[in-house]
Amino acid sequence: MARTATPVTGRLAWPIVAGAVLALAVLVLPLLALVVRAPWADLPALLASSAVLEALALSFGTAILATAICLVLGIPLAALVARAESWATLPRRLLRAAVTVPLVLPPVVGGIALLTLLGRRGVIGEWLDRVFGVTIPFTTGAVVIAQVFVALPFLVFAVEGALRSSDRRTELAAATLGASRWQVFRHVTLPIVAPGVAAGGVLCFTRALGEFGATITFAGSLPGTTRTLPIASYLAMQTDPDEAVALALLLLAVSVVVLLTLRDRWLPGATA
Amino acid sequence: MIGGVGMTDAARTRPGLDVDVSLSYGPTRIAAAFAVRPGHPLAIIGPNGAGKSSLLAAVAGLVPLDAGTVSIGDRRVEALPPERRRIGVVFQDYVLFPHLTVRDNVAFAARMRGPRAAARAAAEPWLERYDLIALADRLPSELSGGQRQRAALARALAAEPDVLLLDEPMSALDVEIRGDMRAELATHVREFGGATVLVTHSPADAAMLADQVLVLERGMVTQRGTLDELRAAPATPYVRRMLAASEA
């Protein structure tokens, strides 16, 4: 379709401009301060310390595992949420609420909830401990579970959006060509929503990487086991602010790289 | 005139289609019964919203029936899922798989039954027959309307269906090329030779592509016969207007 000409919008009123500049300052100034105050000369040494490398490896390892779990669990859930559009109002809203809650919940509450469920005296945790001798809290596994809890909705909503905007008739066409339901999903639905899956996966990974509240509550801060980069950064603030800034800068750099990866290709509304 | 799509050798061995169904389409209840012999295509014609496409989708198993039967030869298929009916569908605006090349679109049915290499090999003769070899590595988004139609037809027929359904096959094409594409489609439908049903609101499509016409208005069959029979005694004001408009 031919593009219509851009209409003349006129100039914005000054209170709008002032508000926008202020809002931008709120968003950008703290990050700018981080860059300005970073101990650039000592940065290589700070980031190469064994404590930092340990936290870095733990963070990346757990975030990658959490993202993989989110992909395996989140894609089917996204398919269900997308299909729930044809359900009755109440179950549809309950399903959507269940997926949304971790997004709006303070992460600490998530951590407490996980402890209540999986802690040694938790609803399931007590049984796991008694029958299998398995204790989850304050282990690397707990870090991954906390990350999955907070990051899963990002993946689900990204994939659900892609599913809803895809042409469902391609699935019908595949069925008339002999594809079973699983084959339709595997050969048609999934490849068509792949950009949504990739975008969701990247968002999920960054959310997992930055996870703090649920992790510290449910998994604690054991060096090498549960002390991820954000937790190490927070703790360093008490003892070595330079190290804290260096770690914060590292997390910021990862976020920027992710943003650049997503830009144009997958973020809705972005243009090349 | 009637297109006179001739009987081929294939047609003699292919089963016919017998449909007697009712289904709901929003507030409209659709009820229709018809039989289609192989090599003698039927055009379902009617105004927008008459339920033509829903009826076709129900035959293919893509929307549920309220009641009724769909038989292909002596095989009852109304309880089967679409993937087991052996009914090929060419959708309105074709609905090619956007992430697959023309080759892999045409190879899709074979791919569902076996490995990729074998499926691609099986697709080759279909690509040749439908003049798609030069386009085989393109994505659907890189094709013209006419090319898409050919690819969609090749994809449906490469699955070797017993029955072919065409939903408004001309509506996504530019008006200027419809005449040529209609003639080309008629040739391919004749070559297929099996039971074929086409949905259209154009008497020109019906004239070129079908032997028989069934008129559907508000979900009900209001007339059936050849186009000449419809012309001789139009049963409803819609049929009269439609035929008059097509002759204007």
Side-chain angles (χ1 to χ4, degrees), chain A residues 167 169-181 183-184 186-188 191-192, chain B residues 60 62 82-83 87 89 91-93 95-99 108-109 111-112 155-156 159:
Chain A
D167 185 354
R169 292 178 310 155
T170 53
E171 298 178 349
L172 301 180
T176 66
L177 294 166
S180 66
R181 284 184 191 188
Q183 285 177 317
V184 170
R186 156 85 182 73
H187 291 279
V188 177
I192 288 176
Chain B
L62 302 175
E83 65 267 25
I87 295 179
V89 182
F91 289 81
Q92 197 173 357
D93 65 41
V95 196
L96 293 164
F97 303 122
H99 61 295
F108 190 87
R111 177 75 182 91
M112 294 305 101
R155 179 180 72 173

Side-chain angles (χ1 to χ4, degrees), chain A residues 63 66-67 70-71 151-152 154-155 199-209:
Chain A
T67 304
C70 285
L71 284 168
L152 190 55
F154 286 85
L155 185 96
V202 173
L203 286 172
C204 186
F205 175 77
T206 35
R207 180 63 189 89
L209 196 69

